[in-house]
Amino acid sequence: FPVTIPQQTVQDEKGAVDRGVVVDIGPDAYRGDGFSGKPWCAVGDEVVWPRYAGKPMKGLWDQDADLHVLNDEDVLAVVVCDQTVCVDG
């Protein structure tokens, strides 16, 4: 059966991203097709990913922390900040 999604919802979801801090990078990250083998983000970096990417893991290390396990290709940008301006890079 067909499903109709309002145009406003479609537009809202196009920009739907989440932000967080990298707490670990697995040994096989950035080693597949399309990657140079060198991670372009590091532990401690603030990164952006599509809202529905990855697997949420609540309470894995800390009961109050919301963690997301992401594939390397899901990381869209590293957020670079100085004291007044943040830029998605």
Side-chain angles (χ1 to χ4, degrees):
F1 61 93
V3 176
T4 302
I5 300 174
Q7 189 61 32
Q8 184 61 45
T9 301
V10 172
Q11 290 302 321
D12 291 346
E13 291 301 314
K14 281 185 179 178
V17 295
D18 285 330
R19 290 169 76 150
V21 176
V22 177
V23 295
D24 197 9
I25 297 176
D28 294 329
Y30 299 97
R31 299 207 187 273
D33 292 338
F35 295 109
S36 66
K38 180 179 169 190
W40 53 270
C41 68
V43 172
D45 284 351
E46 185 174 356
V47 296
V48 178
W49 65 88
R51 177 162 298 147
Y52 300 109
K55 172 85 173 141
M57 307 290 283
K58 189 158 187 81
L60 189 61
W61 282 296
D62 179 346
Q63 291 298 332
D64 298 324
D66 288 331
L67 300 173
H68 288 266
V69 176
L70 300 170
N71 289 323
D72 41 20
E73 66 265 10
D74 291 333
V75 177
L76 300 176
V78 175
V79 180
V80 180
C81 294
D82 66 15
Q83 295 175 353
T84 57
V85 179
C86 292
V87 179
D88 290 345

